[in-house]
Amino acid sequence: MHSPLRFTAWFKDPAADAGPDDVVSQPVVGWRESDGAAMVLQATDGRVVPAAEQEGFVEIEQLPDEVPLGVVPGNGWRVAQAGQGPVRGSAHTPVAFVVYATHVVPVTSLPPGGDFKGSWRSSNWQLLPPGE
């Protein structure tokens, strides 16, 4: 069943060096007709599976229906987790920022092989100017 709205499923980051609040996202690709469960692609075997039944599931979030206005380079700015005390060691340097009408999304890495599962919620991060 196709949905014109966009949703994403959030999961705890499985990376060994991930912090306790780090999350990654996967797009919801459909809904199970029998009970309405959000479905995501399980990359390991190419199946569509219920998001809530996968390890580390946090929640489903509706994405804004927005189109990016542009992309600007990172130019030395950094992002760090909000409310985590000293930020020097936990800051990430974005390679670029995707600009929308109401917000900006930092791109902190360019995943190899088209793996775009990683993403951050802006409410959990703060923007740091170059040199800070």
Side-chain angles (χ1 to χ4, degrees), residues 72-110:
V72 296
N75 285 345
W77 285 81
R78 295 178 301 140
V79 292
Q81 216 164 6
Q84 296 296 314
V87 295
R88 229 175 254 286
S90 64
H92 300 272
T93 304
V95 294
F97 292 92
V98 180
V99 180
Y100 294 87
T102 59
H103 64 285
V104 175
V105 176
V107 178
T108 58
S109 64
L110 299 174

Side-chain angles (χ1 to χ4, degrees), residues 55-128:
E55 186 175 340
F57 174 76
V58 176
E59 68 179 338
I60 300 293
E61 178 182 35
Q62 182 176 345
L63 298 175
D65 188 21
E66 297 183 46
V67 176
L69 300 175
V71 178
V72 296
N75 285 345
W77 285 81
R78 295 178 301 140
V79 292
Q81 216 164 6
Q84 296 296 314
V87 295
R88 229 175 254 286
S90 64
H92 300 272
T93 304
V95 294
F97 292 92
V98 180
V99 180
Y100 294 87
T102 59
H103 64 285
V104 175
V105 176
V107 178
T108 58
S109 64
L110 299 174
D115 180 8
F116 297 100
K117 292 187 288 189
S119 139
W120 291 337
R121 296 177 193 226
S122 59
S123 62
N124 296 338
W125 297 86
Q126 60 183 330
L127 185 61
L128 306 169

